[in-house]
RNA sequence: GGAGACGUGUCCGAGUGGUUGAAGGAGCACGCCUGGAAAGUGUGUAUACCCCAAAAGGGUAUCGCGAGUUCGAAUCUCGCCGUCUCCGCCA
């Protein structure tokens, strides 16, 4: 959520920058400015009315003490009359505030200046590539066939237990999952991230805090009996740890990491995009989150990007880093890098990580602030990134490392898997 | 899940309808004191929004959250959330 002061004071600039994000509701900005003006004038009026009423109440109190009952009665009537106006104004203020919030929540974050123009994936800018695209032997298979061949993942069984998109990992397949999770967590910890194990169900306040609600309500599984949501990413509970918190400036950056399963309804997905591990309803991911001072958040974004790239290098996977264009970025992000690995049998790039700086967009919803000395609290910046999402990593590992006699495990993972070959 | 008790500021803790944003204490910050420290002592110590070009200053709201009663609520009523104790159940 953008800060109302920012919109109020820099309306032209906001409109201009939103255009890059392909935001079509520019008239919303006008409505916001107008609703805000109404809200403020109403509050001014209401506050002064309340001040009068408070003063009268105080006088009545003094009269009651000194026994001037009759005079107090007069004042009571006067105060009762004020209350009628007060009630109407209060309702108007409530309406204006609700309306303002409803509108503000519709406005996406402003993209950073370096974000390229464009609305399609083709407009994303490749800023880095690494590794050779492997030449596979004759008869190489896509990961879903390999998973069946070596009995690593049972998609059919998942359908029986739950439904499509909930695979069952077995044997070395399950072990590989565990190995990757541990490897990612160890690396994040070594990089200074504090590991946390958050709940994987969250309440509506948390969903709102990171921007999943109300914008993407349909993307989350909703446990209606208890009104809780299954998290689509650990970003939600981890970032919400800092909801309504004022941290000391010297404690920044705050670095947290965590492993959680993630749940996404993925309504509307179909075809080759969802084949095998490409898109699941439940998947595992290690997430890194930072709370940072506004002056340093872009430097931090680059560090996080480097960190994720380091993981992919160590896993010996060919990858590229994209700087997303305005139209392809998420609602809440100011700047996003996507990391994609090349899946050799499918001959396509698969997104395995998204690293973003949200600037103060999430903080504003979260009321996440930092304080410098004795100054007024100011909104902190939040950042997060996948480090990493497992299924597509597994897909690429299986496909790229397949050899006639089995699938080779990258060296860094062997201590975690306990085997160097799947056969 | 059932019964009961409770929920006050960074912390402890007073406060059952009338200048209470909230006594007192601790902690913290700054100053005095000291060779230095402790002790002592003085001052300060929430957040949001509104008015004001800004600062200064003023106003409103906030004692778990929300609604209500009242001229006036931390104090009374209702709902919700949470904590504790006992019972039940259980990994």
């Amino acid at each position: 959520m953008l800060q109302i002061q920012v919109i109020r004071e820099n309306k032209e600039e906001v409109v201009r920058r939103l255009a890059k994000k392909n935001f079509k509701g520019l008239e919303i900005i006008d409505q916001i400015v107008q609703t805000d003006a109404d809200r403020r004038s109403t509050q001014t009026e209401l506050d002064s009315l309340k001040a009068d009423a408070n003063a009268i109440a105080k006088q009545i109190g003094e009269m009651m003490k000194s026994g001037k009952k009759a005079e107090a009665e007069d004042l009571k009537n006067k105060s009762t009359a004020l209350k009628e106006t007060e009630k109407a104004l209060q309702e108007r203020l409530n309406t204006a505030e609700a309306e303002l919030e409803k509108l503000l929540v519709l406005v996406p974050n402003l993209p950073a200046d370096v974000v390229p123009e464009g609305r399609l994936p083709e407009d994303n800018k490749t800023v880095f590539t690494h590794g050779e695209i492997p030449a596979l032997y004759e008869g190489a298979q896509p990961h879903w066939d390999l998973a069946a061949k070596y009995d690593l993942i049972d998609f059919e069984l998942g359908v029986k237990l739950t439904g499509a998109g909930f695979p069952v990992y077995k044997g070395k397949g399950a072990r590989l999952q565990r190995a990757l999770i541990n490897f990612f967590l160890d690396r994040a910890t070594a990089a200074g991230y504090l590991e946390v194990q958050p709940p994987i169900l969250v309440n509506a306040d948390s969903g709102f805090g990171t921007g999943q609600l109300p914008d993407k309500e349909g993307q989350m599984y909703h446990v209606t009996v208890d009104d809780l949501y299954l998290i689509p990413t650990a970003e939600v509970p981890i970032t919400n740890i800092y909801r309504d918190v004022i941290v000391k400036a010297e404690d920044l950056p705050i670095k947290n990491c965590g492993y959680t399963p993630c749940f996404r309804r993925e309504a509307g997905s179909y075809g080759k995009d969802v084949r095998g591990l490409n898109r699941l309803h439940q998947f595992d991911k290690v997430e890194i989150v930072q709370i940072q001072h506004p002056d340093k958040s872009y430097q931090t974004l680059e560090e996080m990007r480097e960190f994720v790239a380091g993981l992919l290098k160590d896993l010996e996977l060919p990858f590229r880093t994209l700087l997303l264009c305005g139209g392809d970025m998420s609602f809440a992000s100011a700047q996003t890098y996507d990391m994609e690995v090349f899946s050799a049998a499918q001959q396509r790039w698969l997104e395995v990580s998204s690293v973003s700086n949200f600037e103060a967009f999430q903080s504003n919803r979260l009321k996440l602030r930092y304080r410098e000395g004795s100054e007024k609290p100011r909104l902190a910046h939040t950042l997060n990134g996948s480090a990493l999402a497992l299924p597509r990593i597994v897909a690429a590992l299986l496909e790229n490392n397949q050899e006639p006699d089995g699938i080779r495990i990258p060296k860094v993972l062997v201590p975690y898997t306990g085997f160097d070959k799947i056969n």
Side-chain angles (χ1 to χ4, degrees), chain A residues 177 181 184-185 231-236 258-262 264 283-288 352-354 384-391:
Chain A
Q177 292 285 114
I181 291 164
F184 292 147
L185 283 173
I231 58 170
T233 159
E235 164 198 345
V236 178
Y259 153 71
T260 68
C262 303
R264 299 186 183 180
F283 64 95
D284 296 297
K285 180 161 64 66
V286 171
E287 184 78 1
I288 51 175
V352 292
S353 177
S354 191
N384 66 50
S386 345
L388 286 157
L390 297 225

Side-chain angles (χ1 to χ4, degrees), chain A residues 246-267:
Chain A
I246 300 173
V247 300
K248 291 196 204 106
E250 60 260 38
D251 291 338
L252 299 174
I254 291 168
K255 301 169 76 173
N256 285 172
C257 66
Y259 153 71
T260 68
C262 303
F263 303 89
R264 299 186 183 180
R265 294 187 61 232
E266 302 290 3

Side-chain angles (χ1 to χ4, degrees), chain A residues 209-229:
Chain A
T210 31
Q212 278 70 29
L213 295 175
D215 322 309
K216 300 174 209 146
E217 172 129 38
Q219 307 259 29
M220 287 193 291
Y221 288 96
H222 186 194
V223 183
T224 50
V225 271
D226 294 304
D227 195 22
L228 296 171
Y229 296 85

